[in-house]
Amino acid sequence: MHRVRRLAVAVLVALALVAPASAQITRPPAVPLVAVDPYFSVWSFADRLTDEGTRHWTGKPQPLSLQARIDDTVVRLAGRDPRQVPALEQVSVAVRPTTTRYDFRGEGVSIALEFVTPAIPHDIEWLSRPVTWLRWTVRSLDGQPHQVKLLFTAPGHLAVNTPDQRVAASRVRMPGAEVLRIGSQEQAVLGRRGDDVRIDWGYLYVAANAPGTVSAVAPQAEAWSAFARDGSLPGTDDVDLPRPASTRTPTLAFVLDAGRIAAEPVVRQIVLAYDDLYSVEFLDRRLRPYWRRNGADALALVKAALDDGPALVDRARRFDEELMADLERAGGPKYAALAAMAHRQALAAQKIVADVDGTPLMFSKENFSNGCIGTVDVMYPAMPQLLLLNVELAKATLKPILEYTRLPRWRFPFAPHDLGTYPLANGQVYGGGERTEEDQMPVEESANMLILVDAVARAEGHARFAEPYWAQLAGWTDYLAQKGLDPEHQLCTDDFAGHLARNANLSLKAIVGIGAFADLARRGGRAAEAAKYGALAKDFARQWAGLARDGDHFALTFDRPGTWSQKYNLVWDRLLGLDLFPPEIARAEIAYYKTKMQPYGLPLDSRRSYTKLDWQVWTATLTENRADFEGFIDPLVRWVNETPARVPLTDWYDTVTGRQEEFQARSVVGGVFITMLANPDLATKWQSRR
């Protein structure tokens, strides 16, 4: 019997560590559990799920707790409390695009714990639904039957900004299911904005429909105590509500009876959902989440998640397998692993809402940067993921900015930086706002918008999306024609590095932006504009090579010999098929960058040893062979595995120490998909899905 048990354990470990390319990342800095949108986002910041409590991406506690009762022994699967309950041994963790899987073993059983979020971009309906399935698959390891019960608790912390806020909870009637909800007493809808904040309106729902499921609204400690005693829950719901989330921890508690585990595995699931009622205010209009656009409510959301859960989980698995296989074709297993880590994080830093006519609008939150909403130079690095996996999401992201700049209130000849502070998209707040040009990013944002609108046209094969906004696009192009070749003292997207004049990489972006407008004009049948701006872009590109050349490479600025910088913007010349810059420029830069590589990647430029994760992958995409590409990607995966910053992926870190500089959980990591976007066959395959 012992030999059988050892063999079974060995098989389990082998299966847990097999084949997803994500096995190349052995120690994620933080692990996505519930990664839906900027507010509904719960992570583990530890090696083992039982090492500490789970947290919101900001790091504030949102402690989900999972326990199992195996025969008469109670063990922990998630959370470090209660301390007297031992942790079941965690065998592995794997992060795939839509799914995080933990494998545990002990007490004669194995438990696979999966957190599945429908982050399937070509299905906007399900992508917009704020749900995550939590699934347990329990097997006997030793050939003996075992009685297993599972406990899940979710506290009111998930529905408030700070735990001193009062919460109320209730039971929701739904035939054939146990459904509980919890939310703040105050319910100040869209009443809070900012960066390091959490939602305190709307309601967290937890639901299960397996036979034998029981649920209770209970103080957390009482739920744990009852489960430890006999596998039950308190017999009546907590009536001492509302009260602060930190006072006797009001909790939604569920016990799922897996029954007698013998030869066949047993699967149980819980649905976690968050109905925020209204998600974003855009130009003083409150907008519903996209999934509510046709009148659906929270009960419909939960019922669909319960009914469709098994099919959606299987669909997510197939999506993961296909996407990972194609990512590996595009850039190898380490690249695929990096993209898997980025996928849910990037989408969960954005929110899809319905415009007044029901069309989707998508708003990003500039997490741990300044909390801006709809930031153009956050859209720019995030866009490869959207352009690759659903161009409708790319258009939904660009449309709010384009609509805003049609209004008389935006009176500048260049594109704006942002739309406000999340979740209030009522007008730019960065720099001079709508008042002055001070500390704006005029060349940066104008070129960003032109490049991205042309990228949409290239994906769709026509320029119809651009037509209503032609006046703005043409005006921004004229601005770049005047100011772009040799930029004045100003900020670029790497604003943390400070102002620069004569920024070579910014100039390069402006030239590509002009070329992008020429391409738009060509696609839109505007031959004269296409010829005019196409010729200008080519002339500027020729001048750029002379201005920026510094021996065997190209300088940081036109007036600083002996300097260098990543010319990551050059990648769009290739992606858009503009052919403005001769390939020798990229070849010279790549050869030079190889001499500047540090243990954890390539610095942003010659001034400091810090870097940006997204830009490094863009730079890597300029290489012309797999060996050179992997030379850029290998240090990034090493950094992911070794960084001391145990937070959702930061995109700004030091290449020598691996330490986080700032920023975390941002959508910009969607930029790592640019390598697959640059593969014509794979891009065409994925862009054809609707």
Side-chain angles (χ1 to χ4, degrees):
M1 183 61 67
H2 292 296
R3 179 179 179 277
V4 171
R5 180 172 179 175
R6 285 195 301 272
L7 178 61
V9 170
V11 170
L12 171 68
V13 174
L15 289 174
L17 297 178
V18 155
S22 54
Q24 296 285 342
I25 291 178
T26 57
R27 194 230 58 180
V31 180
L33 306 178
V34 180
V36 176
D37 61 41
Y39 289 134
F40 194 30
S41 186
V42 184
W43 297 67
S44 170
F45 286 40
D47 289 346
R48 290 176 292 273
L49 193 53
T50 52
D51 282 351
E52 64 170 53
T54 59
R55 300 175 180 273
H56 188 255
W57 67 261
T58 58
K60 296 300 190 295
Q62 291 192 339
L64 303 177
S65 176
L66 290 87
Q67 299 176 33
R69 187 181 180 90
I70 305 166
D71 300 321
D72 291 320
T73 301
V74 179
V75 292
R76 279 182 293 121
L77 304 178
R80 63 180 179 181
D81 295 317
R83 299 294 181 86
Q84 68 272 21
V85 175
L88 197 62
E89 179 188 3
Q90 179 180 308
V91 175
S92 65
V93 58
V95 177
R96 298 185 289 273
T98 69
T99 302
T100 293
R101 171 171 169 155
Y102 289 92
D103 281 286
F104 300 88
R105 67 180 183 191
E107 302 300 325
V109 304
S110 72
I111 300 177
L113 181 63
E114 293 181 300
F115 295 84
V116 185
T117 299
I120 303 173
H122 59 265
D123 186 342
I124 299 180
E125 182 65 42
W126 269 106
L127 177 66
S128 72
R129 293 183 183 182
V131 299
T132 289
W133 293 278
L134 176 52
R135 290 168 60 87
W136 298 258
T137 301
V138 189
R139 293 178 170 87
S140 174
L141 277 181
D142 58 8
Q144 300 299 308
H146 298 276
Q147 291 294 136
V148 177
K149 287 187 174 183
L150 306 163
L151 172 69
F152 172 82
T153 63
H157 296 63
L158 277 75
V160 291
N161 179 45
T162 56
D164 59 339
Q165 292 179 270
R166 296 165 70 85
V167 297
S170 60
R171 186 172 294 276
V172 180
R173 301 298 176 187
M174 181 181 291
E178 295 282 313
V179 184
L180 302 176
R181 77 171 194 177
I182 195 166
S184 70
Q185 180 186 22
E186 185 179 12
Q187 286 298 307
V189 177
L190 293 171
R192 187 181 298 278
R193 64 178 178 175
D195 194 358
D196 188 4
V197 297
R198 288 136 299 279
I199 197 167
D200 58 3
W201 68 87
Y203 297 91
L204 171 70
Y205 288 78
V206 182
N209 59 358
T213 299
V214 296
S215 64
V217 177
Q220 183 170 263
E222 293 180 22
W224 291 346
S225 177
F227 187 72
R229 183 177 61 248
D230 56 15
S232 67
L233 288 174
T236 59
D237 286 338
D238 189 350
V239 296
D240 187 22
L241 290 171
R243 67 171 180 270
S246 57
T247 303
R248 296 176 57 236
T249 315
T251 300
L252 308 183
F254 283 72
V255 170
L256 293 82
D257 191 348
R260 185 173 181 268
I261 309 299
E264 296 299 319
V266 172
V267 178
R268 291 291 182 265
Q269 78 166 12
I270 271 180
V271 168
L272 284 75
Y274 203 103
D275 178 16
D276 58 7
L277 307 174
Y278 288 92
S279 301
V280 163
E281 187 172 284
F282 176 46
L283 300 177
D284 301 310
R285 304 193 312 268
R286 288 187 169 188
L287 300 182
R288 294 280 194 185
Y290 184 76
W291 63 270
R292 267 183 170 268
R293 71 196 182 285
N294 294 323
D297 60 12
L299 287 184
L301 174 73
V302 170
K303 187 176 188 308
L306 287 171
D307 292 347
D308 299 344
L312 260 295
V313 168
D314 182 63
R315 186 177 168 198
R317 177 188 56 77
R318 288 184 278 112
F319 172 84
D320 286 353
E321 290 173 353
E322 184 178 9
L323 183 59
M324 292 299 286
D326 283 349
L327 286 164
E328 188 163 343
R329 291 188 189 99
K334 291 185 179 180
Y335 169 71
L338 188 64
M341 283 295 304
H343 181 77
R344 265 175 293 161
Q345 171 176 317
L347 294 173
Q350 304 173 79
K351 184 70 175 181
I352 307 172
V353 301
D355 203 353
V356 291
D357 61 357
T359 59
L361 300 178
M362 193 166 184
F363 293 88
S364 63
K365 180 177 184 294
E366 199 169 340
N367 290 342
F368 266 28
S369 176
N370 62 8
C372 278
I373 185 171
T375 303
V376 173
D377 57 293
V378 168
M379 295 176 196
Y380 178 66
M383 195 63 74
Q385 181 187 32
L386 308 183
L387 288 166
L388 176 71
L389 300 178
N390 191 344
V391 71
E392 294 302 318
L393 295 175
K395 294 192 291 186
T397 301
L398 292 166
K399 187 177 178 182
I401 283 283
L402 292 166
E403 290 293 328
Y404 172 53
T405 56
R406 295 175 79 178
L407 300 176
R409 60 190 287 187
W410 186 255
R411 55 192 178 84
F412 301 113
F414 48 79
H417 169 272
D418 64 83
L419 287 168
T421 303
Y422 197 92
L424 305 183
N426 293 326
Q428 178 170 306
V429 295
Y430 187 85
E434 295 179 352
R435 302 179 306 280
T436 72
E437 297 189 21
E438 183 181 359
D439 283 340
Q440 303 262 20
M441 297 186 188
V443 171
E444 175 75 39
E445 309 300 21
S446 299
N448 285 343
M449 290 299 296
L450 291 165
I451 290 168
L452 295 182
V453 172
D454 189 43
V456 166
R458 184 172 177 83
E460 293 193 307
H462 56 76
R464 288 195 288 272
F465 175 69
E467 284 297 329
Y469 312 108
W470 201 261
Q472 295 113 287
L473 297 170
W476 297 338
T477 306
D478 285 336
Y479 183 85
L480 295 181
Q482 298 173 29
K483 304 283 190 176
L485 175 59
D486 197 348
E488 299 166 342
H489 189 255
Q490 63 188 262
L491 293 170
C492 71
T493 187
D494 305 315
D495 54 349
F496 51 83
H499 293 66
L500 273 181
R502 315 198 73 189
N503 183 335
N505 190 41
L506 184 60
S507 171
L508 193 156
K509 176 182 283 189
I511 296 165
V512 174
I514 295 169
F517 181 74
D519 189 52
L520 278 172
R522 179 185 63 80
R523 293 177 185 278
R526 300 170 183 257
E529 285 178 286
K532 173 185 174 181
Y533 291 104
L536 181 65
K538 288 182 179 179
D539 179 57
F540 277 6
R542 180 188 56 78
Q543 292 186 56
W544 183 94
L547 288 167
R549 183 172 292 280
D550 185 20
D552 60 352
H553 69 285
F554 297 85
L556 169 66
T557 68
F558 296 149
D559 56 355
R560 297 189 191 182
T563 63
W564 64 274
S565 65
Q566 290 190 48
K567 307 302 189 299
Y568 54 82
N569 288 312
L570 189 58
V571 73
W572 287 102
D573 187 36
R574 181 182 299 178
L575 263 64
L576 298 178
L578 304 177
D579 297 324
L580 299 173
F581 295 87
E584 290 75 18
I585 290 178
R587 289 172 188 150
E589 287 291 280
I590 293 298
Y592 190 79
Y593 298 154
K594 290 180 184 180
T595 70
K596 301 299 180 182
M597 198 69 69
Q598 299 298 319
Y600 295 119
L602 179 67
L604 182 65
D605 58 48
S606 52
R607 290 174 291 179
R608 294 276 299 275
S609 59
Y610 58 52
T611 194
K612 289 284 269 82
L613 174 63
D614 40 352
W615 301 151
Q616 289 181 90
V617 180
W618 290 27
T619 295
T621 305
L622 293 170
T623 59
E624 296 179 305
N625 60 72
R626 179 60 64 85
D628 281 350
F629 178 81
E630 291 177 350
F632 284 86
I633 298 301
D634 287 358
L636 305 188
V637 174
R638 185 183 312 122
W639 167 75
V640 171
N641 282 325
E642 297 177 4
T643 175
R646 304 307 301 271
V647 299
L649 283 178
T650 177
D651 53 288
W652 179 22
Y653 69 91
D654 189 271
T655 58
V656 175
T657 66
R659 294 188 180 279
Q660 176 187 21
E661 292 283 341
E662 211 171 316
F663 306 160
Q664 65 196 51
R666 301 207 306 166
S667 62
V668 302
V669 298
V672 305
F673 283 85
I674 201 163
T675 306
M676 187 162 151
L677 182 65
N679 183 304
D681 293 338
L682 295 176
T684 299
K685 169 187 171 180
W686 285 88
Q687 287 173 337
S688 66
R689 301 186 180 187
R690 296 289 186 272

